[in-house]
Amino acid sequence: MQTNWRIGSFLGIPLFLDPLWFVILGLAILNFAVAYQELGTVLAWSSGVVMALLLFASVLLHELGHSLVARSQGIKVNSITLFLFGGIAAIEEESKTPGKAFQVAIAGPAVSMLLFLLLRLIANVLPNANPLHIMVGDLARINLVLALFNLIPGLPLDGGQVLKAALWQATGDRFQAVHWAAKAGQILGYCAIALGLAVDYFTGELVTGLWIALLGWFGIRNATSYDRVTMLQETLLKLKASEAMTRDFRIVDANQTLRTFADLYLLETAPAQVYFAESDGRYRGMVSIDDLRLVERSEWETKTVESIVHPLTEIPTVEESTNIAEVINKLENENLPRVTVLSPADSVAGVIDRGDIVQAVAQTLGLRMMDADIKRIKEEGSYPPGLQLQVIAKSTTN
């Protein structure tokens, strides 16, 4: 469920605010207002509001740096969101090469460094007695800190993305590079939590210590998320259709009449969802119950099942060797309830639906899924909330 607030768009990229953003906005205004008390109460608070908004404008420009470089590579940018810990650009897929991944990663810090240099130059031009000299100088330092902080080498920070690109270039394995960069992010996150606790204990600066610890917790959570998504991507590429398919279908005689077919199979207590017709030892195609209903009942005695068969060449199919990521994309792109799996000899090897995919992925990753949950997925034809396999599959194969 979308809880963020859309505030507009920039260069076609939707901009959102997380409700918790207002918390950090308020703290930023308070911090700047206290720092500028020497300007007088009214001017101090006015300056605090302006500086807080400029701070987040800097964050927004930082994320736009990532976004525009990604778009130049043909990658879709879904949105930019400002939230409690800064900003994040929702980039739909991974760059094709380590070099391009590095370009996207370094673009944000590069924008922040350029802002630092530009603002530093403006501050030097302004008279020292001018309040703007102080404000512009502070904003310059903030952008410098933003650039340097983001270059810390651990996911989810930009430095972690740079590290990932470097490891990808060195090893040739993008997945392994993400695992190592995520591990670095987790270690740095735990170090930040320890540092936050130490700051609180030795200095009594509770707010500062708590904030550092929260940053560490955020880093650990997001690094772990990167690691899990990458593990899932690996699974979707390694898992083949032959490992997830089931033989949850019935084979019927293509030469029998429609009346015989209806009496033998459709009146069963639990009729099958999928039927394939065969004759002379060969599969003739899939039988659709909807097509049976289109035939006048008076013709059921004379027409055979073969008259309503959809040949295998005309129905959605994949090969046994097709990876599950491609199967998911086919199901979603063509809005299919299931897909038929063909053997190397072009005969029916099995069928796959969304429930089969979730069950196979869960078994591969050692996760437990209840039979009732798998049954519900099969019946509803959709993935459970929070399990965005279609999104992950798309980013895996693009």
Side-chain angles (χ1 to χ4, degrees), residues 288-297 299-300 308:
S288 171
I289 305 305
D290 291 334
D291 289 339
L292 175 64
R293 297 191 181 100
L294 296 176
V295 179
E296 292 290 339
R297 293 209 173 198
E299 300 180 1
W300 283 18
I308 63 169

Side-chain angles (χ1 to χ4, degrees), residues 157-218:
L157 297 173
D158 298 335
Q161 297 288 355
V162 170
L163 176 62
K164 179 198 71 178
L167 292 171
W168 183 6
Q169 179 68 40
T171 65
D173 187 335
R174 177 172 69 88
F175 295 126
Q176 190 61 51
V178 175
H179 289 314
W180 287 348
K183 182 62 67 178
Q186 291 171 332
I187 293 172
L188 289 169
Y190 284 115
C191 290
I193 291 176
L195 176 61
L197 295 175
V199 167
D200 176 36
Y201 181 79
F202 289 108
T203 70
E205 294 288 341
L206 176 61
V207 174
T208 302
L210 180 60
W211 185 249
I212 294 173
L214 282 173
L215 286 173
W217 168 81
F218 172 77

Side-chain angles (χ1 to χ4, degrees), residues 174-175 229-244 318-334 339 352 357-358 360-361 383 388-398:
R174 177 172 69 88
F175 295 126
V229 169
T230 301
M231 190 179 299
L232 184 53
Q233 287 179 320
E234 288 181 285
T235 300
L236 295 184
L237 286 178
K238 291 178 180 178
L239 197 62
K240 305 302 179 185
S242 59
E243 300 172 86
V318 296
E319 298 177 355
E320 286 183 294
S321 59
T322 304
N323 63 58
I324 290 300
E326 293 181 27
V327 175
I328 293 173
N329 287 333
K330 188 173 186 67
L331 287 171
E332 300 306 320
N333 293 339
E334 301 179 29
V339 66
I352 296 179
I357 290 171
V358 172
V361 169
Y383 300 108
Q388 296 181 308
L389 280 179
Q390 64 272 33
V391 176
I392 296 173
K394 183 177 180 180
S395 65
T396 301
T397 54
N398 279 340

Side-chain angles (χ1 to χ4, degrees), residues 31-99:
N31 179 72
F32 285 120
V34 171
Y36 299 147
Q37 277 300 304
E38 61 189 34
L39 301 178
T41 303
V42 175
L43 189 55
W45 282 99
S46 300
S47 300
V49 172
V50 172
M51 286 294 290
L53 293 176
L54 289 175
L55 163 63
F56 285 102
S58 299
V59 173
L60 179 60
L61 290 173
H62 179 104
E63 297 303 326
L64 278 171
H66 296 303
S67 302
L68 295 180
V69 173
R71 285 214 315 197
S72 71
Q73 298 177 10
I75 300 173
K76 182 180 178 181
V77 180
N78 294 321
S79 64
I80 294 176
T81 303
L82 296 179
F83 69 116
L84 184 64
F85 294 106
I88 186 168
I91 298 174
E92 191 165 275
E93 60 187 89
E94 177 65 74
S95 297
K96 307 300 183 190
T97 66

